[in-house]
Amino acid sequence: MQSEINPWSSTPNLDMEKLYREFGIEPIEDIVKGIEDAPTFLRRNIVSGNRDYSLIADAIAAKKKFYVMTGFMPSGYPHLGHLMVMKEVVWHTKRGGTGFISIADREAHAVRGLSREKCKFFGEKYLSWLYALGYKGERYYQSENDRLKDLAFESAIRINFSQLTAIYGFTPETSLAHAMSVATQVADILYPQLKYGPAPTVVPVGIDQDPHIRLTRDVANSLRMFTILKTDDGVSIRSKNAPAQAMDMVEKEFGKNGCKRFEGHIDVRGVDIAYADEIVRKIEVECGGYGFYLPSSTYHTFLQGLTGGKMSSSVPESLFRFDEPEKDIKKKIMGALTGGRMTLEEQKKLGGEPEKCSIYLLNVFHMQEDDEELKEMCRACKAGELLCGTCKKETFERIKEFTKDFNEKLDEVSHMAE
Ligand code: TRP
Ligand code: SF4
């Protein structure tokens, strides 16, 4: 029964397209075409899947209110693999989104057994990275946010154990705190709307977090008082558990449109669904409800490790840290698995295979912002003109530059993370 993707176990070699189809995640390409000055991660289809991202693209274009939120589990140092989501968050805040970062210390404590001190220590590292990348917005530790914890409890009323088993493969042995950390993440995702009112929210994540997104969308829906359906000549506003007062207010609001009230729904003719939706959300909030939008999400492909497999702190050669001595980084780069051929002769004749190459992908993800230069690198590799030794040296030079820059920024902002 356990699904293929699980947030707490490593899932190497995912077939993204298959997973997207299986879970109803949409490709993002068509939406990206409509975004002005799309950033590299969208242009290069590194961020390749989405749920309801058109809500966000529309909000960006119309300069309307939206939120961007994500969370990090402070169970170790941030690394190269976290950089993509961070860049996504920062970009969205620069395009008008209000930012929220959750440091998931409750999850780290419940699932990984980390102490409070350790969570603080690592939490600050994640926050400094975000600030160094230009993040401006809110941040909190789950354990210190009382409104979040209340919302987690409220959300937990809408979650039962058969859902947890179906979505995460929880068993009777799973601890209650683990289940509570799930409710807390649901609350994280809905928190911006609780704090500043209903608006679309994008949650950039890796696909391993999609189970949480699905659960949160279910919970957000079940916390609504109303659903609205399109009818032939207008809308039908259906009560799910709206108090009588809210039904009265809806009736009054749409009275001028000649609405018709039934037992559990109110039908309105000649109004646009987007307009009705907005009014109903307002009434819901006035009556003590949430009026939540279902969260939107984006999914990025994982950066493959320098050793070819998964990039993970448990395999030190698979990644480098920005605070490592330069010569160690160089060693890892020069030793990385590439898409090169067995012999020089062969490579000159057949060309390399950049799409399989960890060095090429590192450039695509982070180390080569210039599309033309990247294209040229790919071409020269395939033509057998560029050889791996040279290519690695050139890449290392860019990494050196990036690292120097990044470390300087980290120093400047570290006080903000405390
Ligand atoms: N569970 C996430 C992880 O393991 C961290 C997280 C906590 C999160 N709250 C979140 C991610 C809210 C996205 C949105 O990395
Ligand atoms: Fe990878 Fe560069 Fe070698 Fe091509 S030349 S396989 S991109 S390291």
Side-chain angles (χ1 to χ4, degrees):
M1 180 101 150
Q2 182 169 357
S3 96
E4 240 176 288
I5 39 182
N6 178 324
W8 301 284
S9 70
S10 58
T11 33
N13 301 327
L14 294 170
D15 178 346
M16 299 288 275
E17 270 169 36
K18 179 164 159 274
L19 287 175
Y20 284 0
R21 258 181 276 121
E22 187 173 337
F23 291 104
I25 295 170
E26 302 284 337
I28 204 167
E29 274 166 308
D30 285 343
I31 303 175
V32 171
K33 284 180 198 143
I35 297 177
E36 233 180 287
D37 293 330
T40 48
F41 57 78
L42 289 178
R43 285 202 313 273
R44 295 179 185 172
N45 208 36
I46 301 166
V47 169
S48 57
N50 83 100
R51 291 184 192 274
D52 275 352
Y53 190 70
S54 58
L55 287 181
I56 303 300
D58 290 349
I60 292 173
K63 300 202 181 334
K64 282 201 179 140
K65 171 164 152 177
F66 76 96
Y67 308 113
V68 52
M69 108 71 48
T70 199
F72 297 95
M73 180 149 67
S75 57
Y77 286 93
H79 61 66
L80 257 183
H82 298 108
L83 205 52
M84 187 47 64
V85 160
M86 292 186 178
K87 284 183 176 175
E88 286 184 71
V89 171
V90 171
W91 181 79
H92 281 96
T93 62
K94 293 195 167 150
R95 287 295 173 100
T98 305
F100 288 82
I101 296 296
S102 166
I103 299 299
D105 56 349
R106 284 198 122 185
E107 184 181 2
H109 188 50
V111 182
R112 298 273 150 85
L114 260 86
S115 71
R116 230 187 139 75
E117 292 67 41
K118 277 259 145 64
C119 286
K120 265 262 137 65
F121 176 81
F122 290 127
E124 286 178 10
K125 301 282 174 215
Y126 280 91
L127 291 171
S128 332
W129 276 43
L130 280 152
Y131 292 126
L133 293 167
Y135 179 69
K136 290 197 180 67
E138 304 200 7
R139 52 91 175 313
Y140 59 80
Y141 288 74
Q142 288 177 332
S143 68
E144 293 171 357
N145 187 336
D146 284 337
R147 280 186 85 188
L148 178 84
K149 285 190 263 185
D150 287 346
L151 181 58
F153 190 81
E154 222 42 62
S155 304
I157 296 174
R158 310 292 168 144
I159 303 170
N160 63 37
F161 280 94
S162 62
Q163 273 170 302
L164 295 178
T165 306
I167 300 178
Y168 303 105
F170 279 10
T171 68
E173 277 67 48
T174 305
S175 78
L176 186 54
H178 196 162
M180 287 170 75
S181 78
V182 168
T184 310
Q185 179 152 348
V186 167
D188 277 333
I189 296 171
L190 299 174
Y191 181 73
Q193 301 192 68
L194 175 75
K195 190 156 181 197
Y196 296 123
T201 307
V202 59
V203 190
V205 284
I207 193 162
D208 60 309
Q209 298 295 307
D210 185 56
H212 296 303
I213 303 286
R214 274 182 273 139
L215 178 63
T216 308
R217 288 168 62 91
D218 283 350
V219 171
N221 181 41
S222 103
L223 287 171
R224 289 293 310 267
M225 289 177 178
F226 294 100
T227 41
I228 307 188
L229 303 175
K230 221 176 151 102
T231 57
D232 287 343
D233 55 357
V235 298
S236 180
I237 300 165
R238 311 210 147 223
S239 162
K240 302 199 317 160
N241 43 39
Q245 176 213 5
M247 285 292 271
D248 294 346
M249 283 168 75
V250 170
E251 187 181 13
K252 187 156 164 250
E253 180 67 38
F254 292 103
K256 55 181 184 300
N257 302 74
C259 69
K260 218 163 162 188
R261 180 163 177 175
F262 300 88
E263 173 72 20
H265 61 108
I266 295 172
D267 291 352
V268 192
R269 280 211 215 140
V271 301
D272 175 57
I273 189 158
Y275 170 77
D277 190 67
E278 198 178 315
I279 301 285
V280 168
R281 268 182 225 280
K282 268 199 196 121
I283 292 174
E284 213 178 291
V285 172
E286 274 174 47
C287 295
Y290 298 108
F292 288 142
Y293 282 80
L294 304 196
S296 307
S297 50
T298 57
Y299 305 89
H300 64 86
T301 21
F302 284 103
L303 180 54
Q304 121 189 14
L306 296 174
T307 38
K310 191 176 146 66
M311 177 173 283
S312 158
S313 337
S314 55
V315 187
E317 300 303 317
S318 73
L319 50 80
F320 56 86
R321 287 191 10 210
F322 295 115
D323 58 357
E324 267 178 85
E326 214 174 276
K327 67 170 196 340
D328 292 5
I329 300 183
K330 185 162 187 185
K331 206 167 138 211
K332 289 182 184 183
I333 294 298
M334 296 314 286
L337 193 82
T338 69
R341 305 286 175 174
M342 294 301 282
T343 65
L344 208 64
E345 292 303 289
E346 244 184 282
Q347 180 143 357
K348 283 183 178 162
K349 203 167 105 208
L350 301 170
E353 299 177 286
E355 54 292 321
K356 287 187 191 164
C357 174
S358 67
I359 296 293
Y360 180 69
L361 291 172
L362 190 57
N363 281 281
V364 173
F365 273 61
H366 299 299
M367 297 304 161
Q368 182 54 273
E369 285 288 311
D370 188 318
D371 287 350
E372 289 308 314
E373 299 225 6
L374 187 72
K375 234 199 241 157
E376 171 54 21
M377 177 179 179
C378 185
R379 187 204 63 77
C381 167
K382 281 183 176 162
E385 290 167 22
L386 180 62
L387 299 178
C388 296
T390 317
C391 184
K392 284 171 163 176
K393 273 193 204 122
E394 288 171 0
T395 300
F396 174 69
E397 288 305 314
R398 286 194 289 278
I399 294 172
K400 218 164 84 181
E401 186 91 0
F402 182 95
T403 305
K404 183 166 155 277
D405 222 51
F406 193 64
N407 283 327
E408 274 170 23
K409 287 201 186 110
L410 278 177
D411 281 342
E412 282 166 29
V413 300
S414 65
H415 66 281
M416 295 166 74
E418 277 156 31

